[in-house]
């Protein structure tokens, strides 16, 4: 009886694929999930938990992402410098006006693993507020 072995991808075997995702009209959580799955490679048949098999992802039109409910006025983002009494808080409305890329980045970051591999995946993510991006080889059709 022949035994089949499970395929595990090696780090050098995985090609560098690129995806361009247009965020226009997509809910923030649904967009973040779509990007997180692409970064992890869970939509690939060669997915291996201990190897990054995901694609590089370029998100365009981050300023046109859809925010549902009352999140614009109620959701808070926090940042702390490490010094006593230096906790800064920001409303989602203000973040969307000033840095919409940061809102998408933090949503994706929350859906990735909190370890070294998750940080490496985040380096493969590029987010732009408008529809222009400098990655000319990846200008193909947006998903």
């Amino acid at each position: 009886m022949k035994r089949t072995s499970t395929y595990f991808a090696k780090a050098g075997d995985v090609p560098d694929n690129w995806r361009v995702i247009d965020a226009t009209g997509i809910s923030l959580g649904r967009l973040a999930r779509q990007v997180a799955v692409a970064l992890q490679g869970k939509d690939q048949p060669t997915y291996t938990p201990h190897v990054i098999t995901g694609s590089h992802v370029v998100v365009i039109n981050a300023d046109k992402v859809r925010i549902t409910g009352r999140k614009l006025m109620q959701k808070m983002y926090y940042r702390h410098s490490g010094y006593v009494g230096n906790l800064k808080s920001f409303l989602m409305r203000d973040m969307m006006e000033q840095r919409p890329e940061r809102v998408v980045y933090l949503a994706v970051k929350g859906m990735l693993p909190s370890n070294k591999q998750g940080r490496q995946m985040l380096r493969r993510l590029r987010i732009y507020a408008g529809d222009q991006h400098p990655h000319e080889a990846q200008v193909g059709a947006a998903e």
Side-chain angles (χ1 to χ4, degrees), residues 19-31:
R19 287 195 197 174
V20 179
I21 298 177
D22 189 356
T24 305
I26 301 176
S27 239
L28 178 62
R30 292 175 193 269
L31 172 71

Side-chain angles (χ1 to χ4, degrees), residues 70-77 90-93:
R70 298 181 182 173
K71 286 193 271 296
L72 278 175
M73 297 304 296
Q74 291 181 348
K75 183 165 176 63
M76 298 291 286
Y77 290 98
F90 307 93
L91 272 176
M92 183 181 237
R93 177 193 60 189

